[in-house]
Amino acid sequence: MTDAQKTAADTTLRAAGDSPPDPRPAPVPLLEPREGIPPVTATDDALAEVVAAFAAGTGPVAVDAERASGYRYGQRAYLVQLRREGAGSVLIDPVGCPDLSALGEAIGDAEWVLHAATQDLPCLRDIGMVPTRLFDTELAGRLAGFARVGLGAMVENVLGFALEKGHSAVDWSTRPLPEPWLRYAALDVELLVDLRDALEEELTQQGKLEWARQEFAAIAAAPPPPPRKDPWRRTSGMHKVRRRRQMAVVRELWTARDQVAQRRDVSPGKVLGDAAIVEAALSLPPNSHALAGLPGFGHRMGRRQLEQWQAAVDRARALPESELPQPGQPLNGPPPPRAWADKDPAAAARLSAARAAVTALAGSLNLPQENLITPDTVRRLCWEPPAEPTQESVAEVLSGHGARPWQIEQVAPLLTEALLTDPN
């Protein structure tokens, strides 16, 4: 039994709403990895040794990845951390070792343990690492009813250790990586398997382990998300932009910024802020001198840069009406709920009843409503219910929207009842 497992055995698991032990023992600071800070694997020869060691290891594999969000363009991994019984912990530099498919294959049959798996899986997939089975400790915490499900909070509440979390937002593209950052990265996988084991026991006691397994299987089987349509529409402050010509300015500036950011490999926000894009769209400056007077285009910006942004504004100003963007994206699904009362009072009544029922059931099961059933699924069902609402027909609709069997079993009866609500 490891030190962490001993601590876990002595620490009471506490879900949201439970009374804490009195007195609660202070968490034990976790300052160093068990075998020390592992060297960074950055060569093919070193990677081959890691692959062999992890192929020979046993049990689940703790996996984590560090990105440089806010510093670099895109969401690529700049450090990958793994730990497995018999192999210890490793830190891998994906810049020096950009293809980790051999490692992914070596541990492909093992269960991967990640925290907030959907955040790391895309960048892991890009370097050849795709799990067939996984255990998400954050999602497990949600299903178990923990109020705080960040890794540090979970390790503290479940295992009784305090993780140092001071380097979560640093620029992981930095080379060489400072030793304190490497220590932090290694500690992130130090206790993941211990946390997994303790949460599995808790979920078993609550009768939710099968629910978790279905959720994990759905994450592992999910295809990569399609590219977002019209990503420029997500510019912060876009709600201020009302006219189509102004929207065209946002689109042109956003596209120009994205091209510059990709070429320079920096975060788009470091090239030009969203607030500056919106200011230019609202003002429609006729020339670079006028543009320079707007917030975000100050004296620190060189003439060439100003001309670059003004050229984007000019392109939008010159567009014919037929090429201007439409005010909103075409709806894929029901309208916003605030409009339901006017458009379809019966649907509004169904939605109100369904929301109340889901809220009550989620509370009784001690888990977040969105994990019981997604709000979007409830809206779609209530806006376009089956012609004859029965538990079977409702279950079919829920399944078509991606609900898992455990979710359908829990919510189909109460949603069927909500669909039969009399709006009068």
Side-chain angles (χ1 to χ4, degrees):
M1 179 180 285
T2 66
D3 290 342
Q5 288 170 327
K6 292 176 182 177
T7 302
D10 295 335
T11 303
T12 303
L13 279 170
R14 294 185 293 104
D18 290 347
S19 299
D22 187 21
R24 181 183 173 187
V28 178
L30 192 65
L31 303 177
E32 291 288 337
R34 288 168 234 188
E35 298 92 15
I37 303 173
V40 177
T41 299
T43 66
D44 290 342
D45 290 344
L47 179 60
E49 293 180 8
V50 168
V51 171
F54 273 74
T58 59
V61 182
V63 183
D64 191 22
E66 305 295 347
R67 300 175 297 279
S69 303
Y71 297 94
R72 295 289 183 176
Y73 185 87
Q75 293 295 316
R76 66 165 294 182
Y78 282 95
L79 189 70
V80 176
Q81 310 100 280
L82 302 97
R83 181 175 181 83
R84 190 180 197 186
E85 186 70 28
S89 295
V90 296
L91 303 175
I92 303 176
D93 179 3
V95 178
C97 301
D99 183 4
L100 300 187
S101 56
L103 177 59
E105 293 172 4
I107 58 175
D109 293 335
E111 179 188 78
W112 296 20
V113 184
L114 302 101
H115 192 82
T118 54
Q119 294 183 19
D120 288 340
L121 288 179
C123 69
L124 291 170
R125 183 183 293 112
D126 289 344
I127 53 179
M129 296 186 66
V130 182
T132 57
R133 295 187 297 131
L134 64 83
F135 189 107
D136 186 333
T137 50
E138 183 199 50
L139 182 51
R142 292 182 185 279
L143 293 175
F146 284 89
R148 298 167 59 228
V149 293
L151 180 59
M154 293 296 292
V155 167
E156 181 175 330
N157 288 336
V158 176
L159 300 179
F161 284 96
L163 286 178
E164 194 276 312
K165 299 296 291 181
H167 303 299
S168 60
V170 299
D171 181 3
W172 288 96
S173 68
T174 301
R175 294 295 183 273
L177 287 165
E179 182 177 293
W181 298 11
L182 297 175
R183 179 182 295 105
Y184 160 89
L187 289 174
D188 263 4
V189 293
E190 182 79 6
L191 298 179
L192 265 184
V193 174
D194 298 277
L195 181 60
R196 172 236 179 272
D197 292 344
L199 288 172
E200 181 178 66
E201 181 179 344
E202 176 71 7
L203 289 168
T204 299
Q205 293 176 359
Q206 294 189 22
K208 299 176 180 177
L209 182 58
E210 177 56 28
W211 301 1
R213 286 174 174 161
Q214 291 180 24
E215 294 296 312
F216 302 156
I219 293 173
R228 190 184 299 276
K229 185 179 180 181
D230 291 347
W232 58 270
R233 291 184 184 272
R234 294 179 63 84
T235 302
S236 180
M238 189 70 190
H239 63 281
K240 302 176 184 177
V241 181
R242 304 290 186 182
R243 292 158 49 194
R244 294 173 63 200
R245 184 74 58 185
Q246 295 172 333
M247 292 179 184
V249 173
V250 173
R251 181 177 64 187
E252 292 295 330
L253 281 171
W254 188 98
T255 302
R257 179 185 70 174
D258 195 67
Q259 293 169 347
V260 172
Q262 188 169 8
R263 185 175 69 248
R264 291 169 49 190
D265 189 19
V266 297
S267 169
K270 289 187 174 296
V271 175
L272 186 68
D274 280 8
I277 290 178
V278 171
E279 285 290 340
L282 296 176
S283 300
L284 291 171
N287 52 53
S288 58
H289 178 74
L291 181 67
L294 298 178
F297 299 92
H299 64 280
R300 295 184 180 180
M301 189 171 287
R303 187 182 69 179
R304 177 178 291 184
Q305 288 178 295
L306 284 171
E307 291 175 349
Q308 169 183 257
W309 305 130
Q310 184 61 42
V313 175
D314 292 343
R315 287 194 296 273
R317 291 170 62 95
L319 285 174
E321 287 287 329
S322 61
E323 295 183 21
L324 296 178
Q326 295 301 316
Q329 294 173 293
L331 284 172
N332 178 22
R338 62 179 178 273
W340 286 30
D342 293 330
K343 291 179 178 292
D344 189 338
R350 292 193 294 266
L351 181 61
S352 178
R355 283 174 163 174
V358 168
T359 298
L361 180 58
S364 67
L365 295 174
N366 194 27
L367 52 79
Q369 297 176 41
E370 62 270 19
N371 291 114
L372 176 59
I373 191 72
T374 67
D376 181 66
T377 297
V378 175
R379 286 194 295 268
R380 289 174 183 270
L381 172 69
C382 292
W383 185 253
E384 294 185 2
E388 295 184 11
T390 64
Q391 287 194 32
E392 291 74 19
S393 63
V394 168
E396 184 176 353
V397 172
L398 294 176
S399 179
H401 290 312
R404 265 69 73 189
W406 77 268
Q407 295 175 311
I408 295 172
E409 180 183 1
Q410 292 294 322
V411 304
L414 58 89
L415 289 180
T416 301
E417 185 176 346
L419 294 180
L420 300 173
T421 298
D422 185 350
N424 300 315

